[in-house]
Amino acid sequence: MASQQSQQQTDEQVNDGFVVDTENCEERELAYRERGTSRPITVVGNPVLHKECKDVTEFGDELASLIDDMFASQRTAEGVGLAANQIGVDLKVFVYDCPDDDGVRHTGVVCNPVLEELAPEQRNLDDSNEGCLSVPTAYASLARPDYAVVRGQDAQGNPIKVRGTGYFARCLQHETDHLYGYLYIDRLSKRDRKDALRQMAEGTPRYEVVPND
């Protein structure tokens, strides 16, 4: 427990009010997942994915263990971000291990995330392919702002801000959406959503998923 807190305090150095999430990424990610246990991924249709999750109110050992499991699950599924409801847990927390468009790696945790509204001059849309571990084997083009700021809390309940550009901005928006009951396919046209679900039905996930009864 003491060693975890020491590591997390190091992780949460801030610069201009934003978390520094680009330092010691490999070591931090490895420490999380070596403590954790990989869990199967819930997929579209599972009720936990289609409702707003509960706020995190307890910042202790149980949350720390969940975060470890989330990093382990994310690595098993070869993802770059994972929300708690994607492993069946009804809590507002997501983890990420994601590069931006410059190839800089970002690794961290956000509890109770809130996506900041962007000023009109900051809303430069990037229309790129997007996929989701909960919609396995499917991809679709979706326009999202190429810059994002998320406010929330760290694993100890301290207030934090995370910002991202390009692919990492997409990840922050995607994972925050999850915790409010939205999958990326919910933002597609009916035709594109149907096509994504067809891709999923025809594909075979490369990781274990929870079947919908």
Side-chain angles (χ1 to χ4, degrees), residues 191-209:
R191 185 177 70 175
D192 288 346
R193 187 180 193 279
K194 183 177 180 180
D195 182 65
L197 292 174
R198 177 193 57 77
Q199 293 178 53
M200 175 180 163
E202 293 176 354
T204 301
R206 61 182 182 275
Y207 43 84
E208 186 182 0
V209 300

Side-chain angles (χ1 to χ4, degrees), residues 4-50:
Q4 282 191 31
Q5 285 184 338
S6 175
Q7 179 65 61
Q8 287 162 343
Q9 287 166 358
T10 300
D11 294 350
E12 289 153 6
Q13 301 173 61
V14 295
N15 180 25
D16 296 330
F18 290 95
V19 167
V20 177
D21 58 6
T22 56
E23 296 179 352
N24 304 314
C25 290
E26 184 170 355
E27 294 88 344
R28 292 189 290 115
E29 189 272 342
L30 177 62
Y32 281 122
R33 62 182 166 88
E34 283 192 334
R35 292 190 299 261
T37 300
S38 181
R39 305 191 200 180
I41 304 296
T42 56
V43 296
V44 59
N46 189 307
V48 75
L49 293 174
H50 302 283

Side-chain angles (χ1 to χ4, degrees), residues 110-208:
V110 184
C111 301
N112 303 324
V114 176
L115 194 65
E116 286 194 353
E117 288 288 334
L118 297 178
E121 62 270 17
Q122 293 179 299
R123 288 185 59 83
N124 299 310
L125 295 181
D126 171 31
D127 194 3
S128 296
N129 255 11
E130 190 162 327
C132 178
L133 298 179
S134 292
V135 193
T137 73
Y139 294 89
S141 182
L142 177 63
R144 290 193 191 264
D146 65 0
Y147 176 73
V149 175
V150 170
R151 292 180 179 270
Q153 292 166 281
D154 65 15
Q156 288 76 46
N158 302 308
I160 57 170
K161 289 193 301 181
V162 183
R163 61 183 168 188
T165 59
Y167 187 53
F168 181 42
R170 181 176 293 274
C171 175
L172 292 175
Q173 294 168 82
H174 180 111
E175 301 308 329
T176 300
D177 270 356
H178 267 303
L179 300 177
Y180 290 88
Y182 295 99
L183 284 78
Y184 85 98
I185 59 172
D186 296 327
R187 297 190 177 278
L188 301 174
S189 68
K190 288 183 179 180
R191 185 177 70 175
D192 288 346
R193 187 180 193 279
K194 183 177 180 180
D195 182 65
L197 292 174
R198 177 193 57 77
Q199 293 178 53
M200 175 180 163
E202 293 176 354
T204 301
R206 61 182 182 275
Y207 43 84
E208 186 182 0

Side-chain angles (χ1 to χ4, degrees), residues 31-98:
Y32 281 122
R33 62 182 166 88
E34 283 192 334
R35 292 190 299 261
T37 300
S38 181
R39 305 191 200 180
I41 304 296
T42 56
V43 296
V44 59
N46 189 307
V48 75
L49 293 174
H50 302 283
K51 64 176 183 177
E52 181 174 346
C53 292
K54 297 175 183 175
D55 289 344
V56 176
T57 58
E58 299 291 333
F59 297 86
D61 291 350
E62 190 172 340
L63 176 62
S65 179
L66 170 62
I67 290 168
D68 292 341
D69 287 357
M70 290 173 69
F71 271 102
S73 303
Q74 176 178 254
R75 174 53 70 97
T76 297
E78 300 178 12
V80 295
L82 187 75
N85 54 357
Q86 292 185 272
I87 56 170
V89 178
D90 183 11
L91 280 178
K92 284 182 183 168
V93 54
F94 73 79
V95 303
Y96 59 89
D97 185 24
C98 182

